[in-house]
Amino acid sequence: MVNYLIQAYACSGHQGGEYAVSYGWLTHLDKMVKEEDTIYVVSLTLTQEEIDNSNLRHVKLIKVGGMEKFKFFHYNSIYYQIWQWKAYRTVLQLGKQIDFIHVYSLSDFRQPGYWYHLKNAYSVFGPVGGGQVCPKSLCEYDDKYGKVHNVINSICKWNPWYKNNIKHYSRTYACNTETKGLLPNSKLLVDVPLNDDFKNIVFDKQENKNTTLLSVGRLINKKGILFLLDILVRINPDLNWQLFIYGDGEQKYIIEDRILQLGLQKKVFLKGKISYNKISDVYKRADIFVLPSLRESGGSVLIEAMAHKLPVVALNMALAKILNEYKCGLFVDTAQEKSEILEQFANHISTLIKNSKLRYELGNNGYSYVNNELTWDNMIKEVYGNFMENNGGIY
C-alpha cells in the first residue's frame, strides 16, 4: 500500500489554468495507482462534492481549517505561506506515513513549502514557474509587482536558506527556461498538459470573412492587453480582421477607454468572462491566437488554442520559447527596443492574416505537438513513473 500526497492549492474541474491542471494530476493518478493505494490531497478550493461526482475512488481530501481569520490578506502571497504551514501541520497531525509527495500548486518556485520535512517520503516539487520576467523595454506596461518579483527572484537565487530547502526535494521541475535558471538542479517540464476534453478534436474549420484573432485571459497588467492594442494600430487598416478578447479584470474600463482612443472600436471587442465548458466553441471560430502576456509562467490557453489548430503569436519567452522550437506559430524577439517589438509583433499578425496556408501549417504543427507530446500519460510517467515501477504500480 502506497500513500500519495498532492499539494493542489488551486484545484477545480470547473475552471481552466492552474486549477484544471491540479485537478488533472488527481484524476489521472487516480486511474493509475493500485487498488489499495490512497491519494491524499490538500487544497484551498477543491470540494468533497467534486471528488464524489468524479468518482475518484482513491482520493481523500484533507481539510485545512483556521484560514478564515487570514482573509484580510486577500489570498496573496502571505496568505499562501500561512496556508502552506497549516496544511503541513494538518497532515502531520493525521499521523499517516506519506510515501510520495507532489507539490504542484501554486506554481511558484519561490515558495517550496515544508513538505521536505516529512520523513522517508519521495518528494517532487513542480513543475513550477515564476522565474519569467517582463522584457526591459516593455516594463511600462507591467505593474509594480513585476519589479517586486524580480527582486524576490534575485534573493532566491542567492539565498542559502532557500537553496538548502530546495535540495531536500528528491526532484524539482521548472516549467520554463527562465525558472530553470533559478531553481537549482531542476529539469525542464512543461506544466500544462493537454486537457482530455480537448484531445484529438475533430471539427470543420469555417472560413471567416474577416480573419478572427482571439485572446483569452484576465484583464490585468501582466497579461498585456494594453500592449496588444498598441500593436494592433500598427496593422494595415485595409486588412480584414477582428479581435475578440475573453476575460475580465481590473483593467477592463482602462482597456475600453484605450480602444476608443485608438479608434479600434470596430475591430476589437471585449466579450467578458466565459465559462470553461464553452471555451472550445470560441477557439473553433477563431483563426489566430494572440498571447500578449508580458511574464507568463506557462500558458494553458496556448495549449488549448493549439489543440484547436490555431497558430500562435506571442513574445518568445517562457512556454512560447519551447513552442517556437516546434514551429507552432510566429514569435517575437524580446531583446529589442519597444518600437521594434511592437513592429515585429504587428508584422507577425499581419503575415498570418494574409497567409491562410501558413496559418494552416503552423496550426497543424501545434495540434500535432500538444496531442503527441503534451499528454497526461507522458506527464504522469515522467513525474511518477520510476516510483511506481519500484512500488508495483502501472509503470
Side-chain angles (χ1 to χ4, degrees), residues 274-331:
I274 186 171
S275 61
Y276 189 60
N277 61 357
K278 294 180 180 179
I279 194 66
S280 184
D281 289 335
V282 171
Y283 286 120
K284 289 175 181 176
R285 293 194 295 268
D287 298 299
I288 302 167
F289 189 81
V290 182
L291 184 77
S293 291
L294 303 169
R295 45 183 176 89
E296 191 73 51
S297 176
S300 59
V301 290
L302 289 175
I303 307 302
E304 294 165 4
M306 291 188 295
H308 292 81
K309 299 186 178 182
L310 294 182
V312 171
V313 183
L315 296 174
N316 190 35
M317 56 191 293
L319 175 59
K321 187 180 293 186
I322 298 173
L323 303 182
N324 195 3
E325 297 177 10
Y326 292 87
K327 295 181 172 55
C328 302
L330 299 178
F331 302 93

Coordinates of all heavy atoms in Angstrom, one line a residue, residues 274-331:
I274 N -15.8 34.0 -19.8 CA -16.6 32.8 -20.4 C -16.3 31.6 -19.6 O -15.2 31.4 -19.1 CB -16.2 32.6 -21.9 CG1 -17.1 31.5 -22.5 CG2 -14.7 32.3 -22.0 CD1 -16.9 31.4 -24.0
S275 N -17.3 30.8 -19.4 CA -17.2 29.5 -18.6 C -16.3 28.6 -19.4 O -16.3 28.5 -20.6 CB -18.5 28.9 -18.3 OG -19.2 28.5 -19.5
Y276 N -15.6 27.7 -18.6 CA -14.6 26.8 -19.2 C -15.2 25.8 -20.1 O -14.6 25.4 -21.1 CB -13.9 26.1 -18.1 CG -12.7 25.3 -18.5 CD1 -11.6 25.9 -19.2 CD2 -12.6 23.9 -18.3 CE1 -10.5 25.2 -19.6 CE2 -11.5 23.2 -18.7 CZ -10.5 23.8 -19.3 OH -9.4 23.1 -19.7
N277 N -16.5 25.4 -19.9 CA -17.1 24.4 -20.7 C -17.6 25.0 -22.0 O -18.1 24.3 -22.9 CB -18.3 23.7 -20.0 CG -19.4 24.7 -19.5 OD1 -19.3 25.9 -19.8 ND2 -20.4 24.2 -18.9
K278 N -17.5 26.3 -22.2 CA -17.9 26.9 -23.5 C -16.7 27.4 -24.3 O -16.9 27.9 -25.5 CB -18.9 28.1 -23.2 CG -20.2 27.6 -22.6 CD -21.1 28.9 -22.4 CE -22.4 28.4 -21.8 NZ -23.3 29.6 -21.5
I279 N -15.5 27.4 -23.8 CA -14.4 28.0 -24.4 C -14.0 27.3 -25.7 O -13.5 27.9 -26.7 CB -13.2 28.0 -23.5 CG1 -12.1 29.0 -24.0 CG2 -12.6 26.6 -23.2 CD1 -12.5 30.4 -24.1
S280 N -14.3 26.0 -25.8 CA -13.9 25.3 -27.1 C -14.6 25.9 -28.3 O -14.0 26.0 -29.4 CB -14.3 23.8 -26.9 OG -13.8 23.1 -28.0
D281 N -15.8 26.3 -28.2 CA -16.6 26.8 -29.3 C -15.9 28.1 -29.8 O -15.9 28.5 -30.9 CB -18.0 27.1 -28.9 CG -18.8 25.8 -28.8 OD1 -18.4 24.8 -29.5 OD2 -19.8 25.8 -28.1
V282 N -15.4 28.9 -28.8 CA -14.7 30.2 -29.1 C -13.4 29.9 -29.9 O -13.1 30.6 -30.9 CB -14.4 30.9 -27.8 CG1 -13.5 32.1 -28.1 CG2 -15.7 31.3 -27.1
Y283 N -12.6 28.9 -29.5 CA -11.4 28.5 -30.2 C -11.8 28.1 -31.6 O -11.0 28.4 -32.6 CB -10.7 27.4 -29.5 CG -10.0 27.8 -28.2 CD1 -10.3 27.3 -27.0 CD2 -8.9 28.8 -28.3 CE1 -9.6 27.6 -25.8 CE2 -8.3 29.1 -27.1 CZ -8.6 28.6 -25.9 OH -7.9 28.9 -24.8
K284 N -12.8 27.3 -31.8 CA -13.2 26.8 -33.1 C -13.5 27.9 -34.1 O -13.4 27.7 -35.3 CB -14.3 25.8 -33.0 CG -14.0 24.5 -32.3 CD -15.2 23.6 -32.1 CE -14.8 22.3 -31.3 NZ -16.0 21.5 -31.0
R285 N -14.0 29.0 -33.6 CA -14.4 30.1 -34.5 C -13.3 31.0 -34.9 O -13.5 31.9 -35.7 CB -15.6 30.9 -33.9 CG -16.9 30.1 -33.7 CD -18.1 31.0 -33.4 NE -17.9 31.7 -32.1 CZ -18.4 31.2 -31.0 NH1 -19.1 30.1 -31.0 NH2 -18.2 31.9 -29.9
A286 N -12.1 30.9 -34.2 CA -11.0 31.8 -34.4 C -10.1 31.3 -35.5 O -10.1 30.1 -35.9 CB -10.3 32.0 -33.1
D287 N -9.2 32.2 -36.0 CA -8.2 31.8 -37.0 C -6.8 31.9 -36.5 O -5.9 31.2 -36.9 CB -8.3 32.8 -38.2 CG -9.6 32.7 -38.9 OD1 -10.0 31.6 -39.4 OD2 -10.4 33.7 -38.9
I288 N -6.5 32.9 -35.5 CA -5.2 33.1 -35.0 C -5.4 33.4 -33.5 O -6.3 34.1 -33.0 CB -4.6 34.4 -35.6 CG1 -4.5 34.2 -37.1 CG2 -3.2 34.6 -35.0 CD1 -4.1 35.5 -37.9
F289 N -4.4 32.8 -32.7 CA -4.5 33.1 -31.2 C -3.3 34.0 -30.9 O -2.2 33.8 -31.3 CB -4.3 31.8 -30.4 CG -4.5 32.0 -29.0 CD1 -5.8 32.1 -28.4 CD2 -3.5 32.2 -28.1 CE1 -6.0 32.3 -27.1 CE2 -3.7 32.4 -26.7 CZ -5.0 32.5 -26.2
V290 N -3.6 35.1 -30.2 CA -2.6 36.1 -29.8 C -2.5 36.1 -28.3 O -3.4 36.3 -27.6 CB -3.1 37.5 -30.3 CG1 -2.0 38.5 -30.0 CG2 -3.3 37.5 -31.8
L291 N -1.2 35.9 -27.9 CA -0.9 36.0 -26.4 C 0.1 37.1 -26.2 O 1.3 37.0 -26.5 CB -0.3 34.7 -25.9 CG 0.0 34.7 -24.4 CD1 -1.4 34.4 -23.7 CD2 1.0 33.6 -24.1
P292 N -0.4 38.3 -25.7 CA 0.5 39.4 -25.4 C 1.1 39.5 -24.0 O 1.6 40.5 -23.6 CB -0.5 40.6 -25.6 CG -1.8 40.1 -25.1 CD -1.8 38.6 -25.5
S293 N 1.0 38.4 -23.3 CA 1.4 38.4 -21.9 C 2.9 38.8 -21.7 O 3.7 38.4 -22.5 CB 1.3 37.0 -21.3 OG -0.1 36.6 -21.1
L294 N 3.1 39.6 -20.7 CA 4.5 40.2 -20.5 C 5.4 39.3 -19.7 O 6.6 39.3 -19.8 CB 4.3 41.5 -19.8 CG 3.4 42.5 -20.6 CD1 3.1 43.7 -19.7 CD2 4.1 43.0 -21.8
R295 N 4.8 38.4 -18.8 CA 5.6 37.5 -18.0 C 4.7 36.3 -17.6 O 4.4 36.1 -16.5 CB 6.2 38.2 -16.8 CG 5.2 39.1 -16.0 CD 5.9 39.8 -14.8 NE 5.0 40.7 -14.1 CZ 4.2 40.4 -13.1 NH1 4.2 39.2 -12.7 NH2 3.5 41.3 -12.5
E296 N 4.4 35.5 -18.6 CA 3.5 34.4 -18.4 C 4.4 33.2 -18.0 O 5.4 32.9 -18.5 CB 2.8 34.0 -19.8 CG 1.8 33.0 -19.7 CD 0.5 33.5 -19.0 OE1 0.0 34.5 -19.4 OE2 0.0 32.9 -18.0
S297 N 3.9 32.4 -17.0 CA 4.6 31.3 -16.5 C 4.6 30.1 -17.5 O 5.6 29.6 -17.9 CB 4.0 30.8 -15.1 OG 4.7 29.7 -14.7
G298 N 3.4 29.7 -17.8 CA 3.3 28.6 -18.8 C 2.3 29.1 -19.9 O 2.7 29.6 -20.9
G299 N 1.0 29.0 -19.6 CA 0.1 29.4 -20.6 C -0.8 28.3 -21.1 O -0.7 27.8 -22.2
S300 N -1.8 27.9 -20.2 CA -2.7 26.8 -20.6 C -3.5 27.2 -21.9 O -3.9 26.4 -22.7 CB -3.6 26.5 -19.5 OG -4.4 27.6 -19.1
V301 N -3.8 28.5 -22.0 CA -4.6 29.0 -23.2 C -3.8 28.7 -24.5 O -4.4 28.5 -25.5 CB -4.9 30.5 -23.1 CG1 -5.9 30.7 -22.0 CG2 -3.7 31.3 -22.9
L302 N -2.5 28.7 -24.4 CA -1.7 28.4 -25.6 C -1.9 26.9 -26.0 O -2.1 26.6 -27.2 CB -0.2 28.6 -25.4 CG 0.3 30.0 -25.3 CD1 1.7 30.1 -24.9 CD2 0.0 30.8 -26.6
I303 N -1.9 26.0 -25.0 CA -2.2 24.6 -25.3 C -3.6 24.4 -25.8 O -3.8 23.6 -26.8 CB -2.0 23.8 -24.0 CG1 -0.6 24.1 -23.3 CG2 -2.1 22.3 -24.2 CD1 0.6 23.8 -24.2
E304 N -4.5 25.0 -25.2 CA -5.9 24.9 -25.7 C -6.1 25.4 -27.1 O -6.8 24.8 -27.9 CB -6.8 25.7 -24.7 CG -6.9 25.1 -23.3 CD -7.5 26.1 -22.3 OE1 -8.0 27.2 -22.7 OE2 -7.5 25.7 -21.1
A305 N -5.4 26.5 -27.4 CA -5.5 27.1 -28.8 C -4.9 26.2 -29.8 O -5.5 25.9 -30.9 CB -4.8 28.5 -28.8
M306 N -3.8 25.6 -29.5 CA -3.1 24.7 -30.4 C -3.9 23.4 -30.6 O -3.9 22.8 -31.7 CB -1.7 24.4 -30.0 CG -0.8 25.6 -30.1 SD 1.0 25.2 -29.8 CE 0.9 24.7 -28.1
A307 N -4.6 23.0 -29.5 CA -5.5 21.8 -29.7 C -6.6 22.1 -30.6 O -7.2 21.1 -31.1 CB -6.1 21.5 -28.3
H308 N -6.9 23.3 -30.9 CA -7.9 23.7 -31.9 C -7.3 24.2 -33.2 O -7.9 24.9 -34.0 CB -8.8 24.8 -31.3 CG -9.7 24.3 -30.2 ND1 -9.2 24.2 -28.9 CD2 -11.0 23.8 -30.2 CE1 -10.2 23.7 -28.1 NE2 -11.3 23.5 -28.9
K309 N -6.0 23.8 -33.4 CA -5.3 24.1 -34.7 C -5.1 25.6 -35.0 O -5.1 26.0 -36.1 CB -6.0 23.4 -35.9 CG -6.1 21.9 -35.8 CD -6.6 21.3 -37.0 CE -6.6 19.8 -36.9 NZ -7.1 19.1 -38.1
L310 N -5.0 26.4 -33.9 CA -4.7 27.8 -34.1 C -3.2 28.1 -34.0 O -2.5 27.7 -33.1 CB -5.4 28.6 -33.0 CG -7.0 28.6 -33.0 CD1 -7.5 29.5 -31.9 CD2 -7.5 29.1 -34.3
P311 N -2.7 28.8 -35.0 CA -1.3 29.3 -34.9 C -1.2 30.4 -33.8 O -2.2 31.1 -33.6 CB -1.1 29.9 -36.3 CG -2.4 30.4 -36.8 CD -3.4 29.4 -36.2
V312 N -0.1 30.5 -33.2 CA 0.1 31.4 -32.1 C 1.0 32.5 -32.4 O 2.0 32.3 -33.2 CB 0.7 30.6 -30.9 CG1 1.1 31.5 -29.7 CG2 -0.3 29.5 -30.4
V313 N 0.7 33.7 -31.9 CA 1.7 34.8 -32.0 C 1.9 35.3 -30.6 O 0.9 35.6 -29.8 CB 1.1 36.0 -32.8 CG1 2.2 37.1 -32.9 CG2 0.7 35.5 -34.2
A314 N 3.2 35.3 -30.1 CA 3.5 35.7 -28.7 C 4.9 36.1 -28.7 O 5.7 36.0 -29.6 CB 3.2 34.5 -27.8
L315 N 5.3 36.7 -27.5 CA 6.7 37.0 -27.2 C 7.5 35.7 -27.0 O 6.9 34.7 -26.5 CB 6.8 37.8 -25.9 CG 6.1 39.2 -26.0 CD1 6.2 39.9 -24.6 CD2 6.8 40.1 -27.0
N316 N 8.7 35.7 -27.5 CA 9.5 34.5 -27.5 C 10.1 34.3 -26.1 O 11.3 34.5 -25.9 CB 10.6 34.5 -28.5 CG 11.3 33.2 -28.7 OD1 10.7 32.2 -28.6 ND2 12.6 33.3 -29.0
M317 N 9.3 33.9 -25.2 CA 9.7 33.7 -23.8 C 8.8 32.6 -23.1 O 7.8 32.3 -23.6 CB 9.6 35.0 -23.0 CG 8.2 35.6 -23.0 SD 8.1 37.3 -22.4 CE 8.5 37.0 -20.7
A318 N 9.3 32.1 -22.0 CA 8.6 31.1 -21.2 C 8.1 29.9 -22.1 O 8.9 29.4 -22.9 CB 7.4 31.7 -20.5
L319 N 6.9 29.5 -22.0 CA 6.4 28.4 -22.8 C 6.5 28.7 -24.3 O 6.8 27.8 -25.1 CB 4.9 28.1 -22.5 CG 4.2 27.0 -23.3 CD1 5.0 25.7 -23.2 CD2 2.8 26.8 -22.8
A320 N 6.3 29.9 -24.7 CA 6.3 30.3 -26.2 C 7.7 29.9 -26.7 O 7.8 29.6 -27.9 CB 6.0 31.7 -26.3
K321 N 8.7 30.1 -25.9 CA 10.1 29.8 -26.4 C 10.2 28.3 -26.8 O 10.9 27.9 -27.8 CB 11.1 30.1 -25.4 CG 12.6 30.0 -25.8 CD 13.5 30.4 -24.7 CE 13.5 31.8 -24.3 NZ 14.5 32.2 -23.4
I322 N 9.5 27.4 -26.1 CA 9.5 26.0 -26.4 C 8.7 25.7 -27.6 O 9.1 25.0 -28.5 CB 9.0 25.2 -25.2 CG1 9.9 25.4 -24.0 CG2 8.8 23.7 -25.5 CD1 9.3 24.8 -22.7
L323 N 7.6 26.4 -27.7 CA 6.7 26.2 -28.9 C 7.4 26.7 -30.2 O 7.1 26.2 -31.2 CB 5.4 27.0 -28.7 CG 4.6 26.7 -27.4 CD1 3.3 27.5 -27.4 CD2 4.3 25.2 -27.4
N324 N 8.2 27.7 -30.0 CA 9.0 28.2 -31.2 C 9.8 27.1 -31.8 O 10.0 27.0 -33.0 CB 9.8 29.4 -30.8 CG 10.3 30.2 -31.9 OD1 10.0 29.9 -33.1 ND2 11.1 31.2 -31.7
E325 N 10.4 26.2 -31.0 CA 11.2 25.1 -31.5 C 10.4 24.2 -32.3 O 10.9 23.5 -33.2 CB 11.8 24.4 -30.3 CG 12.8 25.2 -29.5 CD 13.3 24.5 -28.3 OE1 13.1 23.2 -28.2 OE2 13.9 25.1 -27.4
Y326 N 9.1 24.1 -32.1 CA 8.2 23.1 -32.8 C 7.4 23.8 -33.9 O 6.5 23.2 -34.5 CB 7.3 22.4 -31.8 CG 8.0 21.5 -30.9 CD1 8.6 21.9 -29.7 CD2 8.2 20.1 -31.2 CE1 9.2 21.1 -28.8 CE2 8.8 19.3 -30.4 CZ 9.4 19.7 -29.2 OH 10.0 18.9 -28.3
K327 N 7.8 25.1 -34.2 CA 7.1 25.9 -35.2 C 5.6 25.8 -35.1 O 4.9 25.5 -36.1 CB 7.6 25.3 -36.6 CG 9.1 25.5 -36.9 CD 9.5 25.0 -38.2 CE 10.9 25.3 -38.6 NZ 11.9 24.9 -37.6
C328 N 5.1 26.2 -33.9 CA 3.7 26.3 -33.7 C 3.1 27.7 -33.9 O 1.9 27.9 -33.7 CB 3.4 25.9 -32.2 SG 4.0 24.2 -31.8
G329 N 3.9 28.6 -34.3 CA 3.4 30.0 -34.5 C 4.6 30.9 -34.9 O 5.7 30.5 -35.3
L330 N 4.3 32.2 -34.8 CA 5.4 33.2 -35.0 C 5.6 33.9 -33.7 O 4.7 34.4 -33.0 CB 4.9 34.2 -36.1 CG 4.6 33.6 -37.5 CD1 4.0 34.6 -38.4 CD2 5.8 32.9 -38.0
F331 N 6.9 34.1 -33.4 CA 7.3 34.6 -32.0 C 8.2 35.8 -32.1 O 9.1 35.8 -33.0 CB 7.9 33.4 -31.2 CG 6.9 32.3 -31.1 CD1 7.0 31.2 -32.0 CD2 5.9 32.3 -30.1 CE1 6.1 30.1 -31.9 CE2 5.0 31.2 -30.0 CZ 5.1 30.1 -30.9

